[in-house]
Amino acid sequence: MILLRTLHRSLFGLGATVALLVLAGCVGLPTGKPAGPWHEAYEPINDPASEAFVSNALQRAVAAFGDPVVPVNKVLLRRSKKTEAAKRYHIGEDFSLTECFDSSNGVFVIYLAVDPGHVNYYALLGHECTHLINPYITDWYMEGMATVFSQQICKQLGVKWGDWERHFNRSRRQPYALSYRMMLQLQEVFPRDYPLMINYTTPIKKRDEWLRIDIDAWLDSLAPARRLQALSIIEPYVKELNRNVGTQYAFQTPEALK
């Protein structure tokens, strides 16, 4: 079984906006810094099919959630595997991450933990494309939303969603599985209100660029009866998701469930 671990932070302290999805293991901190931008230390993915997927996925993400908070003008794809020139640097490998590299010019970098052709390649790429809408949100609501979008965009574009569905539908504790199922249920019951959730955000800490979904603000936008329905969907997942809160991801328990 593929285990997913997560880490959100400024990329190795450089202040770049990232959303990180790591496969089977933690990324170590570097002891040295490569010359130039970080993405140049990783292998480029020059694959027309991947570029077409990103273009289509972004268009559909915008249609679903609205315009990105940082207009996306260019997306660079990188396999998170060090180039030969960067082998001597102690920097992480085999992670999936969306980095806002240059917000002034709308340049993003998507790093992927696996090669094109891997069973989970498009599942990871679809997930990361969702973070192009707002790479500053780092909580379990957003992660679940990105995973749901990944599944649906893969189906729409006719590519396999890897082996995620089998794992995510049976795991009782894995936070990516729980957040996926929670958000999928919310989308099914609230198809119009669900995508608006991404607009309700609040800083995780004061004067912090990282955001979390303000779930209470979203719930307050619903009629009372529907609010109770949404709370009944969220409640079974609260305990386990709160166990996975820390420096990596935030999670806000609705006030009505405290």
Side-chain angles (χ1 to χ4, degrees), residues 19-32:
L20 180 61
L21 173 61
V22 182
L23 284 175
C26 295
V27 175
L29 293 175
T31 56

Side-chain angles (χ1 to χ4, degrees), residues 61 65 125-134 142 145-146 149-150:
F65 301 108
L125 185 54
H127 180 105
E128 294 307 321
C129 284
T130 320
H131 288 298
L132 293 171
I133 298 297
N134 191 335
M142 185 66 216
M145 194 176 293
F149 180 81
S150 171

Side-chain angles (χ1 to χ4, degrees), residues 163-181:
D163 58 4
W164 283 14
E165 187 167 10
R166 177 167 57 90
H167 297 307
F168 285 179
N169 281 332
R170 70 184 185 185
S171 176
R172 295 183 178 181
R173 292 188 176 181
Q174 209 289 319
Y176 264 95
L178 298 177
S179 63
Y180 157 73
R181 295 203 299 268

Side-chain angles (χ1 to χ4, degrees), residues 194-230:
Y194 168 85
L196 301 178
M197 190 184 298
I198 203 171
N199 299 321
Y200 294 90
T201 61
T202 188
I204 294 175
K205 297 179 180 179
K206 291 182 179 179
R207 297 186 297 276
D208 191 353
E209 67 178 349
W210 302 113
L211 305 172
R212 61 173 171 79
I213 296 293
D214 188 341
I215 193 63
D216 285 316
W218 180 75
L219 288 167
D220 286 344
S221 73
L222 306 177
R226 291 175 63 77
R227 188 180 310 137
L228 291 174
Q229 193 175 12

